[in-house]
Amino acid sequence: RTRPYDYAGVLAVFSRTMKLNIANPATGCQKKVEINDDSKLRCLYDKRISAEIQGEDLGDEYKGYIFKVMGGNDKQGFGMKQGVLTAARVFLLMRQNTSGFQGHGRRKGERRRKACRGCIISPEIAVLNMMIVKQGDAPLVGLTDDEKPRMRGPKRAAKVRKLFNLGKDDDVRKYVNTYRREFESKTGKKKSKAPKIQRLVTANSLQRKRAERSVKKSRIANKQAEETEYRKLIAIRVKEAKERRSESLAKRRASSIAKKA
């Protein structure tokens, strides 16, 4: 007697499920979407990180949208790594502070072999991170209908200029107050804090650089002068040593001649 074949169980095993983390930089919102349809997932396979995907391939609700692949994780949690042109999991020799290996507490120059997933999307990918590059006509609930402003702004001066579309002559310090936040300290005092601008070029910083450069040049000049004086002194000492040696040799010759006579 044969047992009936469980087709539903087989289909459940072979059905693919992928989670898409879609982010919208314009509004600051993020949404998780699960896709179980293999016909929709096939458009993602063999694509790489930083590839652009048309929204129509994922569904009619995404018509007109363009998504960019930013990364992902496989079913075991290993992250995708840009530049590794394979869909399989590989073991790379990584150094400290690279993607996939932070290397806290390691010795200087130490490298470790770590596992990571390649940058090509395959059915083994469980979570895929995407970003909206171009918005379509229809709004998406949780992505385009709401707006979540950034709590903390950029700190680097170049990035602040890029965010507010400023020129080189504009003062960056005026625009940091946009992200100034007020809070109450432990003692009950009201305080405000704004991002500290990094790599800010001011008149004081330029003057400091000029002073450091002049000090460096003076050190080099003093070192060169001391070196020339030292060379002269060495030459004088060598000359005196030669003269003393020649005098001692002359005395020895004279004494030897006097003894023979």
Side-chain angles (χ1 to χ4, degrees):
R1 187 179 178 183
T2 58
R3 296 177 61 184
Y5 199 74
D6 190 4
Y7 289 100
V10 173
L11 292 175
V13 169
F14 286 98
S15 62
R16 309 283 183 185
T17 302
M18 188 180 292
K19 296 179 182 179
L20 303 181
N21 284 331
I22 304 174
N24 188 4
T27 59
C29 297
Q30 187 174 350
K31 186 179 180 181
K32 184 183 74 173
V33 180
E34 287 192 13
I35 296 180
N36 300 322
D37 193 356
D38 288 339
S39 61
K40 295 179 181 179
L41 293 176
R42 284 195 201 99
C43 68
L44 300 174
Y45 296 153
D46 297 333
K47 296 287 181 65
R48 300 179 185 176
I49 294 178
S50 73
E52 292 186 353
I53 296 171
Q54 300 295 327
E56 293 88 350
D57 300 335
L58 300 177
D60 296 334
E61 63 270 19
Y62 303 107
K63 189 175 182 181
Y65 284 84
I66 297 177
F67 301 102
K68 184 178 179 182
V69 180
M70 305 300 293
N73 298 83
D74 61 3
K75 295 176 182 178
Q76 287 75 31
F78 293 96
M80 299 173 67
K81 189 173 178 65
Q82 178 70 289
V84 183
L85 300 177
T86 180
R89 192 188 304 164
V90 294
F91 291 85
L92 300 179
L93 196 63
M94 299 185 186
R95 59 182 176 83
Q96 194 175 3
N97 294 328
T98 57
S99 62
F101 178 54
Q102 295 298 321
H104 297 297
R106 303 298 179 192
R107 296 182 66 182
K108 186 176 181 181
E110 182 180 355
R111 295 189 295 172
R112 287 292 180 95
R113 195 168 291 278
K114 291 288 184 178
C116 66
R117 180 67 64 170
C119 67
I120 300 175
I121 303 173
S122 67
E124 296 297 322
I125 300 297
V127 181
L128 197 65
N129 303 324
M130 305 172 72
M131 182 180 69
I132 296 177
V133 178
K134 180 185 175 184
Q135 292 191 13
D137 301 330
L140 296 177
V141 179
L143 283 173
T144 57
D145 57 348
D146 194 8
E147 187 170 350
K148 293 183 179 179
R150 297 177 62 174
M151 183 178 176
R152 292 179 176 85
K155 297 178 71 175
R156 195 179 299 177
K159 292 187 177 181
V160 175
R161 290 193 185 95
K162 183 180 178 182
L163 179 64
F164 292 100
N165 197 14
L166 303 176
K168 289 186 177 181
D169 299 331
D170 297 327
D171 192 4
V172 186
R173 289 170 288 187
K174 297 179 182 178
Y175 295 88
V176 180
N177 292 325
T178 309
Y179 292 99
R180 182 174 291 277
R181 58 190 181 92
E182 295 181 355
F183 61 96
E184 191 171 340
S185 64
K186 294 181 180 179
T187 57
K189 293 182 180 179
K190 291 185 177 180
K191 294 185 178 182
S192 64
K193 188 180 287 187
K196 183 181 178 182
I197 303 175
Q198 306 291 334
R199 302 183 186 179
L200 182 63
V201 180
T202 58
N204 292 333
S205 63
L206 293 175
Q207 175 63 28
R208 199 180 303 116
K209 278 192 175 183
R210 285 195 295 268
E212 290 175 357
R213 206 176 293 119
S214 64
V215 169
K216 191 175 181 180
K217 285 182 179 179
S218 64
R219 284 177 184 170
I220 293 172
N222 293 335
K223 189 176 180 180
Q224 289 176 351
E226 290 176 358
E227 188 176 359
T228 52
E229 292 292 330
Y230 180 71
R231 297 291 181 188
K232 289 179 181 178
L233 183 61
I234 290 292
I236 292 170
R237 297 285 171 83
V238 169
K239 188 178 179 181
E240 291 177 354
K242 285 182 178 180
E243 289 177 355
R244 286 196 300 268
R245 183 173 176 76
S246 60
E247 288 177 1
S248 64
L249 288 174
K251 287 180 180 179
R252 286 180 185 177
R253 285 172 189 161
S255 63
S256 64
I257 291 169
K259 285 179 181 180
K260 287 179 181 179

